């Protein structure tokens, strides 16, 4: 699928789980199916590592789905210690929200060194001016 086709598909809300799973596959998700010792499928798990993050979607049932975005260095992607974003609910709702995430996570706000001052600007806005070294 081309990037234009992916963008068009992402704009259309997902109406069923199968369509959602196909869109995730088109986006580059790879799926595993963890099983119990008896061979029963416990979940359908989609994983996609990109940029500095890992996106994971776990489908336990059509109305029991969890999607998570976490830092790329997270050691346990099924039970992450740090999450950047997480949502749960029905498959179409969760997959829609997951597909709507930006490719690149938001950049953290730059921290000020503490040396400088706020200067008043137009319409009540202020700007931080760092002190010169």
């Amino acid at each position: 699928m081309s990037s234009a086709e992916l963008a068009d598909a992402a704009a259309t809300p997902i109406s069923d789980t199968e369509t959602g799973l196909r869109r995730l596959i088109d986006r580059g998700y790879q799926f595993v199916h963890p099983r119990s010792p008896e061979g029963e499928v416990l979940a359908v798990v989609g994983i996609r590592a990109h940029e500095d993050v890992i996106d994971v979607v776990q489908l336990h049932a059509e109305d029991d789905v969890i999607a998570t975005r976490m830092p790329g260095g997270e050691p346990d992607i099924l039970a992450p210690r740090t999450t950047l974003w997480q949502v749960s609910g029905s498959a179409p709702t969760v997959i829609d929200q997951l597909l709507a995430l930006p490719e690149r996570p938001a950049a953290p706000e730059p921290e000020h060194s503490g040396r400088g001052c706020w200067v008043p600007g137009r319409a009540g806005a202020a700007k931080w001016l760092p002190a010169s070294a």
Side-chain angles (χ1 to χ4, degrees), residues 115 130-133:
R115 296 186 52 218
S132 300

Side-chain angles (χ1 to χ4, degrees), residues 17 34 40-45 56-67 78 88-91:
T17 303
E40 180 182 345
V41 174
L42 299 173
V44 174
V45 180
V56 176
V57 59
Q58 300 177 58
L59 294 94
H60 299 282
E62 289 201 50
D63 61 348
D64 182 11
V65 180
I66 301 168
L78 296 179
S88 62
S90 70

Side-chain angles (χ1 to χ4, degrees), residues 2-22:
S2 72
S3 59
E5 290 171 323
L6 281 173
D8 289 343
T12 306
I14 294 169
S15 59
D16 62 274
T17 303
E18 183 178 346
T19 301
L21 291 173
R22 289 183 192 281

Side-chain angles (χ1 to χ4, degrees), residues 4 8 21 24-25 33 38-39 41 51 53 57 61 63 67 71 76-77 80 84 93 95 105 115 119-120 123 133:
D8 289 343
L21 291 173
L24 291 172
I25 291 167
H33 308 91
E38 296 77 32
V41 174
E51 302 295 331
V53 297
V57 59
D63 61 348
D76 185 353
I77 63 170
L84 304 172
T93 302
I95 294 171
R115 296 186 52 218
V119 178

